[in-house]
Amino acid sequence: MSFNEWWESITEPERKIIGRTNAKYVWVCAQEAEREECAKVCETYGNDNDTSGETCAAAIRARGEK
């Protein structure tokens, strides 16, 4: 689900209380936190092609730099 899809799914009163700018900020922060947690899992456990997990973690972190 994208931010815009979520934003459209909540009620007008909820939108007024939250505010679009605040909601977008929280949405982006949550995505960054989730991405970092995924990268840490890669570093800890690695995967079949990257036993150190460094390449996997770098790829996940790079997604946030677009």
Side-chain angles (χ1 to χ4, degrees):
M1 176 181 286
S2 71
F3 171 77
N4 288 332
E5 291 169 331
W6 171 78
W7 184 252
E8 292 301 318
S9 75
I10 64 174
T11 66
E12 186 64 29
E14 289 171 321
R15 288 185 209 142
K16 287 181 180 180
I17 291 169
I18 299 169
R20 188 175 180 90
T21 303
N22 289 337
K24 184 68 174 183
Y25 175 77
V26 172
W27 184 273
V28 170
C29 288
Q31 286 181 324
E32 289 175 6
E34 182 178 316
R35 191 170 33 253
E36 184 57 28
E37 287 304 311
C38 291
K40 287 178 183 178
V41 169
C42 279
E43 287 175 337
T44 302
Y45 298 104
N47 63 37
D48 293 341
N49 299 318
D50 179 21
T51 55
S52 69
E54 291 175 14
T55 303
C56 172
I60 290 170
R61 288 184 177 114
R63 291 191 70 194
E65 297 172 5
K66 293 181 181 178

